[in-house]
Amino acid sequence: MQSADHLAASRYARMRWNTPLAPEHAALLLQRLDVRPGARVLDLGCGWGELLLRAVAAGGVSGPVATRGVGVDTDGDALERGRRLAADRSLNRHVTFVMGEAAAWHEPADRVLSIGSAHAFGGTRAALDALAAVVRPGGRLLFGDAYWERPPTPEVEQIFGSDVVTLPGLVEAARERGWRVLHLSTADQREWDDFESTWVAGRQEWLLSYPEDPRAAGVRAELDDRLRQYVGGYRGVLGLAYLVLGR
Ligand SMILES: C[S@@+](CC[C@H](N)C(=O)[O-])C[C@H]1O[C@@H](n2cnc3c(N)ncnc32)[C@H](O)[C@@H]1O
């Protein structure tokens, strides 16, 4: 394999999922999502679908009515990783990964996940509107979205955009759209630090293995910028909230 191929493969290699979330926090969210046997689970902006696979497994696939899942994303490599994960866990007959725009998916499901993908719908409020149309009556939505924990500097606001709201603003936006908040929790500092560390870790390791690669300088600059922006800008300022919403 060329080092360039190693570079592509290393990108998200150290991440369990692409969001600040510890495994025990994920287990709590799945418990609150309450996936029932036979449910249809949909993940819009699924990445490689680790949480989708766990949600389907939590619903159960061996009983008389198997739980089924669909993950939708625009990243072909992530979807391929999701298919491999599903096959490794014998879930490939139960979970389908579809290349497509999250906002173009219209088939409703009993349980819907949208984590870190509100931008695919045009931002927080637009996502809360659009997702209402794909959650079946009596269903639940696990919505993971960014919010300002503290007021951002203009430089930080420029990175994440002016659509980001505060936590009370996020709860209010959900309530105004007819959602009931069944659960709310936020990523803590260690979850954020682990997320940021694992986001860069695959490529940090690549840099250490291939320091002479012609791409190394560009990758080093990108990773250095990201770390600088995090510790010097949005660490403790940008939050990530997980809401389980019902309607
Ligand atoms: C922050 S990641 C979160 C991935 C996943 N939900 C997770 O928690 O691991 C956001 C995901 O949204 C996907 N995405 C971005 N724009 C999209 C679009 N228009 N339609 C579908 N997916 C999109 C990205 O490819 C990426 O996988």
Side-chain angles (χ1 to χ4, degrees):
M1 195 190 273
Q2 297 294 309
S3 62
D5 297 326
H6 282 297
L7 175 59
S10 70
R11 190 174 174 93
Y12 298 119
R14 295 291 169 206
M15 306 188 89
R16 183 180 287 110
W17 31 57
N18 194 350
T19 188
L21 184 65
E24 60 275 14
H25 192 174
L28 174 69
L29 297 178
L30 290 178
Q31 186 201 337
R32 300 293 155 85
L33 191 61
D34 190 24
V35 183
R36 306 274 173 87
R40 295 296 177 262
V41 185
L42 171 66
D43 189 341
L44 295 173
C46 63
W48 51 91
E50 178 62 47
L51 215 51
L52 169 66
L53 294 170
R54 292 185 188 206
V56 169
V61 293
S62 55
V65 272
T67 309
R68 289 187 187 281
V70 174
V72 179
D73 204 286
T74 47
D75 181 339
D77 291 339
L79 293 167
E80 212 33 66
R81 178 173 170 181
R83 291 183 190 110
R84 284 197 302 274
L85 289 172
D88 289 348
R89 295 174 208 180
S90 304
L91 287 172
N92 42 329
R93 284 191 303 112
H94 305 284
V95 180
T96 310
F97 287 93
V98 178
M99 166 76 99
E101 288 287 328
W105 188 271
H106 297 302
E107 197 180 318
D110 306 295
R111 298 291 183 267
V112 177
L113 292 82
S114 165
I115 295 182
S117 61
H119 57 283
F121 300 92
T124 297
R125 297 175 184 85
L128 286 165
D129 280 332
L131 290 162
V134 290
V135 176
R136 286 187 182 144
R140 293 186 184 192
L141 166 67
L142 171 53
F143 188 57
D145 199 22
Y147 68 94
W148 295 128
E149 206 156 279
R150 296 205 202 114
T153 60
E155 294 75 34
V156 169
E157 188 170 31
Q158 211 179 356
I159 300 173
F160 296 100
S162 54
D163 180 62
V164 180
V165 294
T166 61
L167 189 57
L170 179 57
V171 168
E172 202 51 29
R175 202 195 54 75
E176 281 168 5
R177 286 160 177 79
W179 293 103
R180 301 302 304 165
V181 179
L182 302 170
H183 170 86
L184 180 157
S185 50
T186 62
D188 65 20
Q189 198 59 72
R190 188 179 298 195
E191 287 174 300
W192 266 106
D193 289 346
D194 190 53
F195 169 67
E196 290 292 333
S197 299
T198 54
W199 198 86
V200 296
R203 282 175 294 166
Q204 296 285 26
E205 289 165 11
W206 178 86
L207 275 175
L208 295 175
S209 299
Y210 302 101
E212 305 303 332
D213 189 284
R215 298 163 177 236
V219 173
R220 201 174 288 119
E222 190 192 331
L223 301 189
D224 287 352
D225 269 358
R226 171 82 176 215
L227 187 56
R228 235 179 261 125
Q229 283 174 346
Y230 179 53
V231 295
Y234 62 90
R235 185 177 188 270
V237 172
L238 190 73
L240 206 300
Y242 298 98
L243 308 181
V244 176
L245 302 171
R247 57 190 305 122

